[in-house]
Amino acid sequence: MTTTAEPPFFGLDRDAKIRCSDWARASSLSPAGTAGTYPGYLLVEIPLPWPHDVGETAQAEAVAPVIGPAGYRLQAVMPVDPDAPAESRRVILHARPPGEAGFAGYRRFEATAGPSLPDTVAALVAAAADPAPSSLEAPAVDVLVCGHGRRDACCGRLGAGLAVRLAAPGPRPGVNLWRTSHLGGHRFAPVALVLPQGTGWAFADIDLVGAVLGREGDFAAVADHYRGCSGLESPQMQALEAEVLRREGWRVLDRPRGGSFDGSRAELTFQENDGRTVTWSGTVQPGRTVPTPDCLQPPASARKSQTEWAVSAVVRREQAWPT
């Protein structure tokens, strides 16, 4: 049953202009199941400032016909460190491996943009479509923090600020830190995306990003920040996965996993290293509905809402590898 959250204004002034992320925090809005589902992400270095819709940039318009058929999501990115050495524009593609039944992360490809950006992207897309190893594969971790101020004031202030603080200690080996365009869910600012594992995070801070990169501590400690994995096929599966991660821990993110949702019951299956198949199932239904005002608008003016996902009756089944 869908219900409206009470009290309606969570102790905030109904007529005061507030930031959407402050509202989400005050209402304890759950981010579970809000990561979106994508077969891959194309990261292109596009200079700031970005327009409200990054798709209106010349670079985005040039590559749209190339990535459109595959359904890849374009992210404009810029290095966070202003003192980073100057280099040619980098183009990075994280793509779901072809033919894989489960998801354990994207394949990462990288190239330097040549005279023709579409040609560079086309080469990456072609490499991603081939299961064979490619010279364009370049393993690394990309951390994207939304700092798209023209899209949302919270991301412009909180996200951009977090990105700068994350860069302050200096580079982390094997990790690229990017300020990126709209990731969705700006009410959860700062929002971050970690690739190639494809995990989305809400209300991010330095400690959270450090815990995610280092797999530090109990996953349950960061579970309320988890938006979901964009390699899973539905928000219901993402919501169930969040509950599974609370119980099984970080290692689930390394397992090829998949599942289904049949209208009320979600299922998530993965295989342990010893060959055991583990299946979690649970009832996933609409839960609390919370009005969501636009950023810097009063709560009383809210015209949109978010319905959280309620996960219940979670059951674990295990099957030994056949002998």
Side-chain angles (χ1 to χ4, degrees):
M1 180 177 68
T2 300
T3 57
T4 300
E6 295 291 339
F9 301 111
F10 307 101
L12 299 175
D13 185 341
R14 69 186 302 276
D15 296 315
K17 292 185 177 181
I18 65 169
R19 295 185 181 274
C20 60
S21 60
D22 291 340
W23 170 260
R25 289 175 185 271
S27 59
S28 300
L29 188 63
S30 171
T34 65
T37 298
Y38 304 100
Y41 293 86
L42 178 70
L43 317 183
V44 179
E45 290 194 36
I46 300 177
L48 293 165
W50 301 317
H52 179 268
D53 182 356
V54 76
E56 296 175 352
T57 62
Q59 295 91 336
E61 291 177 349
V63 302
V66 183
I67 64 173
Y72 297 140
R73 179 183 174 107
L74 173 70
Q75 293 295 143
V77 295
M78 281 297 291
V80 175
D81 183 2
D83 297 323
E87 58 180 327
S88 299
R89 185 171 56 203
R90 300 163 68 188
V91 185
I92 299 167
L93 177 64
H94 288 266
R96 183 166 186 151
E100 283 200 357
F103 180 84
Y106 299 101
R107 291 171 76 194
R108 184 182 186 276
F109 304 85
E110 181 175 337
T112 299
S116 170
L117 179 60
D119 287 348
T120 301
V121 173
L124 295 175
V125 170
D130 188 344
S134 168
S135 61
L136 294 175
E137 288 189 73
V141 174
D142 294 295
V143 178
L144 282 62
V145 179
C146 183
H148 196 162
R150 290 192 177 181
R151 186 67 179 244
D152 182 81
C154 287
C155 291
R157 181 176 69 97
L158 300 176
L162 173 61
V164 171
R165 292 193 298 276
L166 287 170
R172 182 187 288 244
V175 177
N176 300 304
L177 177 61
W178 304 98
R179 178 176 174 175
T180 192
S181 56
H182 184 57
L183 283 173
H186 45 70
R187 59 196 174 280
F188 300 118
V191 293
L193 173 68
V194 178
L195 297 167
Q197 70 179 28
T199 55
W201 301 91
F203 307 128
D205 57 26
I206 292 176
D207 290 341
L208 174 69
V209 174
V212 172
L213 291 177
R215 304 283 180 88
E216 298 169 355
D218 191 335
F219 185 90
V222 300
D224 289 340
H225 296 264
Y226 189 50
R227 299 185 65 192
C229 174
S230 55
L232 297 181
E233 296 177 356
S234 71
Q236 295 89 347
M237 286 177 60
Q238 292 176 6
L240 174 62
E241 185 205 34
E243 293 302 314
V244 172
L245 283 161
R246 288 179 188 270
R247 294 162 171 79
E248 297 275 7
W250 294 101
R251 61 191 179 81
V252 174
L253 296 178
D254 297 324
R255 305 290 191 266
R257 56 204 187 280
S260 60
F261 177 70
D262 66 3
S264 64
R265 195 81 179 163
E267 190 170 271
L268 185 75
T269 298
F270 61 90
Q271 193 171 86
E272 296 283 19
N273 287 337
D274 61 7
R276 289 174 298 133
T277 298
V278 177
T279 299
W280 286 87
S281 62
T283 300
V284 184
Q285 297 177 316
R288 184 179 64 145
T289 295
V290 179
T292 53
D294 292 333
C295 202
L296 298 178
Q297 296 300 316
S301 70
R303 295 170 294 176
K304 299 179 291 186
S305 63
Q306 177 183 322
T307 299
E308 299 171 324
W309 293 108
V311 182
S312 61
V314 179
V315 177
R316 184 184 192 273
R317 304 193 308 275
E318 185 177 306
Q319 181 178 353
W321 186 257
T323 58

